[in-house]
Amino acid sequence: MSNAYEAAIIGGGPAGLTAGIYLMRAGIETILLEKQIVGGAALNTEHIDNYPGFPDGISGSELTGRMAEQARKLGLVIKEFSRAEGVGYTDGFFETGVDKESYRSVGVIAAMGTEALKLGIPGEETLVGRGVSYCATCDGMFFRNLDVAVVGGGDSALSEALTLANIAAKVYVIHRRDQLRAQQILQARVSRHDKIELMLGKVPLRINGGNEVESIALRDTKTDGESELKVSGVFFYVGLRPETGFLGNLADRDDAGFIVTDENLRTKTPGLFAAGDVRRKSLRQISTAVGDGALAAVNLEKFVLEKR
Ligand code: NAP
């Protein structure tokens, strides 16, 4: 079965939703395909206070929920639980395959964002859902008044540690270096918080526990000594990876798999654009994803109008 549109957007985070809003306002027939529910990685953020227009902050689910509402009001067709599995390109048309269906379009915006990297230590995979998690906003409530560990030293680790500190009894932030990577404002908040303890220069070795997480084993980078930290939950934030393999040879990627575009967000295939975190870029924020979505949409609109 084939469904024909002028534009297909793959991914329903802030970049994809913004692109959808712009394309619908431009009168381009568009479908948005989202592998889960719309919102993207922002859904995992409890409190966003660097997105302009919200002086008291806003939750990721409310912000992206409003974006989706705006897009739907404009008539954007949003298909949730529709994971793109492949994109073909023949005779100037793209075919995006989703399960048993495929969607034909003149242009495509790849806005798939990223997924959490696994650390790959013993116990991590076997204890997922039994104390190991990659989403504090989703699973934090299971750790009320318990001790938890957050692994990582970037923005995700620190902002999620702050979220967990509202629920858990104690939050240990375990980072492999002596210096955190996260932005200063998050570092300042974490160091002021009396429920958060920084454990720097510690490398996670394994998660211990039978049916549930009981502790995390750590190696000290200075002494090489091993220690065990008793916790009921371990949240990993050790980086993000884009899932772009299904684009085949249609787009160039860097070594980490991020899509390489020009300044108009074009890839090497005419009509295929990339927007948001999935793109090679220097700043991954909701504000830059929104900017990308708008820019990709305007350039896709021009492309479609030339072909009409
Ligand atoms: P990230 O910036 O790549 O940080 C990953 C962290 O995991 C780093 O501290 C890294 O340590 C650590 N790590 C990586 N591999 C490891 C390993 N094998 N063992 C132990 N630790 C390991 O990822 P992120 O924090 O998810 O952020 C991704 C992007 O989203 C960034 O651009 C960030 O700015 C953005 N973001 C922004 C916000 C916000 O503005 N509030 C919130 C979330 C994310 P090293 O530092 O030693 O490399």
Side-chain angles (χ1 to χ4, degrees), residues 123-135:
E124 180 182 358
E125 201 180 329
T126 48
L127 290 165
V128 167
R130 289 186 282 161
V132 169
S133 171
Y134 301 85
C135 177

Side-chain angles (χ1 to χ4, degrees), residues 119 153-156 175-177 181 183 238 240 284-285:
L119 195 50
D155 286 345
S156 296
H175 180 44
R176 62 181 174 183
R177 288 186 296 128
R181 177 184 290 275
Q183 47 186 290
V238 294
L240 305 168
R284 293 194 170 85
Q285 299 274 299

